[in-house]
Amino acid sequence: LTAMNTVISTVEPKLLSKVAVAATNGPKSCVLAGDSDWVQLVINALPEGVGTSKLAVSHAFHSPMMNDALVPFCEVLKTVTLKCPKIPIVSNLEGKFTYNSIAKPSHWEAHLPGCVKFSAGVQTLIGANVNVFLEVGAHPTLSTMGMQCALKYLGKGPKAKALAWITSMHSMKTNKETM
């Protein structure tokens, strides 16, 4: 089992109301979210050698703990005009290409408490022969996770080496150095 599968299998169904797998980011990376005491119970149940680190976040995003925010979130969502994308887009909610669903409020309502399927999304893009990945953000976190996913799916062969992972910013470098 990969570390991620070990963590996911440790979150037993009886704990799912308290702890959720908030993101599947790669072969060795997933995020748990929920009540901190319950998350700690899951961490304590993990086999020796499975590493953990606490994320500095304000809320238990992508978990049932976000359910209280759904009503106000949906009220604001009603004021937004959603449209179908004009270019193919992979949804982190589904981990696959989406067209019409992303233009429906129900997609975003499910996304707030739902698991982010980053790893599946990267696999979908690689399967569609996408070979250039651009991360727009303050630090190249997603690019690093994407590279780990690519190594899992493709190994270290020429197809993996042909992928380009481009970052737009880095918190420790100037924009000119990064680009």
Side-chain angles (χ1 to χ4, degrees), residues 22 24 27 67 74 100 105 127 136 138 142:
T24 55
N67 287 343
C74 290
N100 298 330
V136 179
L142 298 176

Side-chain angles (χ1 to χ4, degrees), residues 85-97:
K86 293 184 180 188
I87 60 172
I89 187 169
V90 172
S91 164
N92 273 334
L93 177 63
E94 300 157 351
K96 61 184 181 179
F97 284 103

Side-chain angles (χ1 to χ4, degrees), residues 21-156:
V21 177
T24 55
N25 290 330
K28 296 183 180 180
S29 177
C30 70
V31 176
L32 299 179
D35 177 85
S36 59
D37 292 337
W38 286 95
V39 170
Q40 191 59 52
L41 284 173
V42 173
I43 290 170
N44 293 345
L46 294 173
E48 188 175 325
V50 176
T52 63
S53 60
K54 186 175 181 177
L55 299 177
V57 294
S58 60
H59 293 76
F61 295 107
H62 301 289
S63 81
M65 289 186 76
M66 294 305 298
N67 287 343
D68 290 343
L70 282 175
V71 170
F73 178 77
C74 290
E75 287 301 316
V76 171
L77 194 56
K78 289 177 186 176
T79 68
V80 176
T81 302
L82 300 172
K83 295 183 179 182
C84 294
K86 293 184 180 188
I87 60 172
I89 187 169
V90 172
S91 164
N92 273 334
L93 177 63
E94 300 157 351
K96 61 184 181 179
F97 284 103
T98 185
Y99 301 95
N100 298 330
S101 68
I102 203 164
K104 296 177 183 174
S106 59
H107 175 90
W108 299 103
E109 184 178 353
H111 202 295
L112 187 64
C115 179
V116 172
K117 297 177 181 171
F118 178 80
S119 180
V122 171
Q123 185 175 13
T124 295
L125 290 167
I126 290 171
N129 295 315
V130 171
N131 59 8
V132 177
F133 297 82
L134 171 64
E135 178 175 358
V136 179
H139 197 71
T141 304
L142 298 176
S143 296
T144 302
M145 290 189 300
M147 284 186 254
Q148 292 169 352
C149 293
L151 287 173
K152 175 188 175 194
Y153 305 131
L154 301 172
K156 295 182 180 182

